[in-house]
Amino acid sequence: SLNAAGSEQSVALYSSALNNLIALSPRPLAGAKFIHWFKEPLAKEFDPIELALGLDQENEATRLEALNQAEKLLRSVENGERPELLSNIYYVLELSAAGGRIMVRDWFVGNYAELANNIRLWFDDIRLVTPDGKGMAKPFKLWAGLARLLPHRNNEQDLSKRINTELSSIMPRIWRSIIQGSIFPDTVPARALRHIQSRLYNVEE
């Protein structure tokens, strides 16, 4: 149509770009697909978001390597060893399915240096001391953290469905808190406390 909002060529270009980004993005969490890119081309090893999401890998060695690589990168940015990265811009788009269509759940843009610092803060915040107090525990997967926001159910084998349905409304705010270095919404600690109570009292819903 001559009065369409975008030309056929423009639609083909952004559709192709979006499909490529979706193909490269990690698996959905809580029913949302998290994709991102940068204004200037960036190698994977210099991508703080990619490193943060690497902690959700199944392989323990891969997650530890992601953490070590993230720490190395963030130190280099903080010490000014990679000045060419500081002026870069990141773009984040969070999508979910809605009746056969794509719905934009969240969108934000920011400076690379701020992103790197916020990811560093996220890594610091999720560090836990081992029960014996003699060292640091292995980094946990984000999926495992989300599972602790649901009431406990005995002998439940697969939490994926409940995570997708019960946490879909707060997942955009959780992502935003990680990427932008802001505090979690009040519902996150409230849900975590509810999970602890359900385990202590063996309450099922």
Side-chain angles (χ1 to χ4, degrees), residues 35-39 49 87-93 106-112 114-115 118 176 179-180:
I35 65 176
H36 70 284
W37 65 97
F38 295 86
K39 182 177 181 179
I49 298 178
S87 60
N88 210 344
I89 302 296
Y90 71 87
Y91 307 90
V92 173
L93 183 65
D106 205 353
W107 161 259
F108 42 104
V109 180
N111 177 266
Y112 179 93
E114 293 177 356
L115 171 66
N118 291 337
R176 181 174 284 271
I179 299 303
Q180 296 192 325

Side-chain angles (χ1 to χ4, degrees), residues 16-188:
S16 178
L18 184 58
N19 285 331
N20 183 60
L21 288 169
I22 291 175
L24 295 174
S25 65
R27 64 178 183 177
L29 274 176
K33 195 76 170 175
F34 185 82
I35 65 176
H36 70 284
W37 65 97
F38 295 86
K39 182 177 181 179
E40 301 296 334
L42 192 67
K44 189 174 182 179
E45 60 266 28
F46 297 130
D47 183 347
I49 298 178
E50 185 71 31
L51 294 172
L53 295 177
L55 291 184
D56 200 44
Q57 297 292 329
E58 295 293 337
N59 186 280
E60 185 66 37
T62 301
R63 288 194 286 138
L64 290 174
E65 176 60 27
L67 180 59
N68 293 333
Q69 181 64 27
E71 290 178 340
K72 181 179 179 180
L73 168 62
L74 300 177
R75 281 199 304 269
S76 68
V77 173
E78 191 175 57
N79 296 334
E81 298 172 9
R82 309 285 312 189
E84 76 280 6
L85 299 176
L86 301 182
S87 60
N88 210 344
I89 302 296
Y90 71 87
Y91 307 90
V92 173
L93 183 65
E94 190 171 356
L95 307 172
S96 65
R101 298 184 178 184
I102 293 178
M103 178 174 65
V104 176
R105 301 290 300 279
D106 205 353
W107 161 259
F108 42 104
V109 180
N111 177 266
Y112 179 93
E114 293 177 356
L115 171 66
N117 184 61
N118 291 337
I119 296 298
R120 178 182 63 81
L121 293 176
W122 164 246
F123 283 134
D124 289 343
D125 288 343
I126 65 175
R127 289 181 184 273
L128 297 174
V129 177
T130 55
D132 59 11
K134 296 182 179 179
M136 304 303 294
K138 296 178 181 179
F140 65 85
K141 296 187 293 183
L142 181 57
W143 187 92
L146 294 177
R148 270 61 177 182
L149 300 182
L150 299 172
H152 174 69
R153 291 180 180 176
N154 291 332
N155 303 318
E156 186 172 23
Q157 300 298 318
D158 186 6
L159 289 170
S160 299
K161 185 175 181 180
R162 280 211 293 152
I163 287 177
N164 288 340
T165 57
E166 297 181 33
L167 300 182
S168 61
S169 62
I170 65 171
M171 197 62 215
R173 299 175 67 186
I174 291 176
W175 278 128
R176 181 174 284 271
S177 296
I178 295 173
I179 299 303
Q180 296 192 325
S182 57
I183 62 174
F184 283 139
D186 291 341
T187 186
V188 171

